[in-house]
Amino acid sequence: MGRRSLPRVDKNIELGEYLFSLSDFTDPWTPFDLFDRPAELEIEVGSGKGLFLASTASRLPDADFVGIEIVHKYARFSAARLARCGLTNAKIIHGDALALFTQHLPTDRIAAVHVYFPDPWWKLRHRKRRIMNDAFLRAVQRVLQPHGELHFWTDVEEYFQRALEQIRVSTQLDGPRHVEEAPAAHDLDYQTHFERRMRLHERPVYRSCFRKLGFS
Ligand SMILES: C[S@@+](CC[C@H](N)C(=O)[O-])C[C@H]1O[C@@H](n2cnc3c(N)ncnc32)[C@H](O)[C@@H]1O
């Protein structure tokens, strides 16, 4: 299913508190530094239009949320959404998730990692670009806190099965736990924009949740 064009971001919206670039940060730096309080931190990989970040951060004000998005115009779009909601517990970083996870996330500290509808890279020769790879998953295993969770959803059954096998090989995470489909109470009551599109088109969604059992 192709992507639609993105609406323009209102130039009057101040994005300074919401939009960051991974390339601006030098060691020692972690995403915890983006918030001025100690709180549990959850990371979303590939935030797209930012629906998950905005709705979940609004619902869970006691936790902090960071999205990492490799395409700048999507990161900007998500930042504008967070700004419009006036959220103080959610930020978006423009950059590559693998670099964030391998270089900037401390061990045993992240409450949850969310990976929703990652790019499937359909062509065989492009599959190595898939984010659910050995290096990324080893980093997920390292950074999650005890009882921390990895949430992975996709509409691509082949990617789902391969990723589950890769999680088994690359991590000691407990799962997969089955995740029930929740009924939508309104037009934006979906985990992400991609989930909304798949469900409105009556396409299947494969959902899984894994849990880290102890310290690294
Ligand atoms: C298919 S879209 C899904 C967006 C959103 N998660 C959703 O479900 O609506 C995948 C997103 O992941 C982003 N992405 C792909 N590779 C990435 C990477 N290495 N680091 C961060 N974001 C990435 C893409 O730019 C895109 O916005």
Side-chain angles (χ1 to χ4, degrees):
M1 204 172 286
R3 285 186 188 166
R4 311 226 172 91
S5 62
L6 210 51
R8 273 181 196 283
V9 169
D10 180 347
K11 288 203 175 82
N12 296 317
I13 299 180
E14 181 51 60
L15 300 181
E17 287 294 311
Y18 295 96
L19 179 61
F20 300 86
S21 174
L22 195 58
S23 57
D24 289 345
F25 300 123
T26 48
D27 272 345
W29 173 86
T30 81
F32 288 93
D33 300 339
L34 296 175
F35 303 93
D36 56 9
R37 63 173 185 174
E40 293 215 320
L41 181 64
E42 305 195 16
I43 309 275
E44 187 197 19
V45 171
S47 300
K49 294 182 181 176
L51 178 60
F52 169 79
L53 274 186
S55 52
T56 313
S58 303
R59 190 165 48 82
L60 302 172
D62 291 340
D64 289 335
F65 294 83
V66 165
I68 175 88
E69 169 54 58
I70 205 163
V71 175
H72 188 261
K73 67 179 177 182
Y74 282 102
R76 248 184 121 245
F77 188 87
S78 292
R81 179 174 226 135
L82 302 178
R84 280 198 309 273
C85 296
L87 291 164
T88 55
N89 64 331
K91 320 272 183 194
I92 182 99
I93 300 174
H94 169 229
D96 184 348
L98 186 60
L100 177 73
F101 273 71
T102 55
Q103 295 167 30
H104 296 288
L105 294 187
T107 300
D108 294 329
R109 291 285 307 282
I110 305 301
V113 174
H114 302 266
V115 186
Y116 299 122
F117 303 88
D119 290 331
W121 294 107
W122 294 105
K123 290 185 182 161
L124 209 53
R125 68 177 189 279
H126 291 156
R127 291 247 174 104
K128 55 182 179 293
R129 299 181 189 173
R130 285 180 171 180
I131 191 66
M132 298 296 277
N133 60 43
D134 180 61
F136 174 74
L137 290 168
R138 282 177 190 277
V140 170
Q141 166 76 41
R142 178 182 65 78
V143 305
L144 281 176
Q145 66 189 32
H147 308 294
E149 292 183 337
L150 167 64
H151 300 268
F152 165 56
W153 299 13
T154 177
D155 57 309
V156 181
E157 186 178 13
E158 174 271 334
Y159 191 1
F160 188 68
Q161 298 301 346
R162 278 180 202 267
L164 259 45
E165 173 59 13
Q166 191 64 59
I167 292 168
R168 194 186 64 75
V169 169
S170 304
T171 77
Q172 292 87 51
L173 299 179
D174 183 56
R177 289 156 197 235
H178 175 72
V179 180
E180 279 296 324
E181 182 168 296
H186 55 78
D187 187 45
L188 281 181
D189 189 19
Y190 297 93
Q191 195 83 334
T192 70
H193 272 276
F194 260 68
E195 195 211 11
R196 179 178 179 276
R197 283 174 64 184
M198 295 309 151
R199 285 180 54 185
L200 294 183
H201 286 88
E202 297 184 353
R203 299 264 296 263
V205 173
Y206 304 92
R207 303 173 179 84
S208 66
C209 172
F210 292 80
R211 189 166 293 161
K212 180 162 163 175
L213 296 179
F215 288 96
S216 287

